[in-house]
Amino acid sequence: KVGVSNIDLRGRLLVSMNHLMPRPPFAYGLSLYFPNPPTLTMDWRGIATMLEGVSTVPRMAKKVALRQLCNHMVLPNRIAVVLDRRAENTDIFWLKSSHYDGVLTVSVIRAEKLPVGDPSWVPGLPGSSDPFVVVKLGAQEYQTGV
């Protein structure tokens, strides 16, 4: 048999109360999301405990589970819950959508004094680097070219 006996999820979960009201339930709805990917630990049972160190199956299962969580609950993705069903325009898509106050633009201009990553094969010539920048924001990741 194969199974998971424990799943540990650690991260900052934000709960946003949208459109506050003076009566119960006091908010039109909730948005739940992680601003950044959480960490995930899985304790395996059965034959999977023997495979954990040698097989890629447990690592891939963890990777797939974390990716699915990110696809649903890490910004810009979120789970929405409508609390006030009496509202005339119950719109779960409004709760799931982002309400931005601005836009962040990141420009990579240059990098200086980088350590040599690739030593030269020719004596006397300096080595080089193939630098790139990785920018992570929530569930999204961007990488510049080399």
Side-chain angles (χ1 to χ4, degrees):
K1 289 186 174 186
V2 175
V4 177
S5 63
N6 187 40
I7 295 177
D8 185 31
L9 185 63
R10 293 178 187 251
R12 190 169 149 208
L13 177 68
L14 299 179
V15 178
S16 174
M17 297 175 71
N18 302 82
H19 187 71
L20 299 178
M21 302 179 304
R23 59 173 172 73
F26 302 113
Y28 170 73
L30 301 175
S31 301
L32 296 95
Y33 57 90
F34 290 98
N36 295 300
T39 59
L40 176 66
T41 306
M42 300 170 84
D43 294 333
W44 295 91
R45 295 182 353 178
I47 195 169
T49 57
M50 294 186 301
L51 297 175
E52 201 166 4
V54 285
S55 174
T56 59
V57 173
R59 279 192 305 258
M60 290 301 294
K62 177 182 169 183
K63 186 176 181 178
V64 168
L66 189 57
R67 175 56 43 209
Q68 289 304 311
L69 181 70
C70 288
N71 287 343
H72 291 89
M73 289 193 68
V74 177
L75 282 181
N77 309 308
R78 55 184 81 202
I79 290 177
V81 179
V82 174
L83 298 176
D84 186 19
R85 300 246 179 241
R86 296 174 295 177
E88 292 179 18
N89 298 322
T90 303
D91 187 1
I92 195 144
F93 298 107
W94 182 82
L95 290 172
K96 288 184 77 129
S97 65
S98 300
H99 308 286
Y100 298 110
D101 289 333
V103 174
L104 171 66
T105 302
V106 177
S107 300
V108 178
I109 307 298
R110 73 175 163 266
E112 298 177 349
K113 299 179 183 176
L114 295 172
V116 173
D118 302 322
S120 174
W121 291 91
V122 179
L125 289 178
S128 65
S129 293
D130 296 326
F132 59 90
V133 174
V134 177
V135 177
K136 295 180 181 179
L137 181 61
Q140 298 185 357
E141 181 176 307
Y142 304 94
Q143 180 175 320
T144 64
V146 175

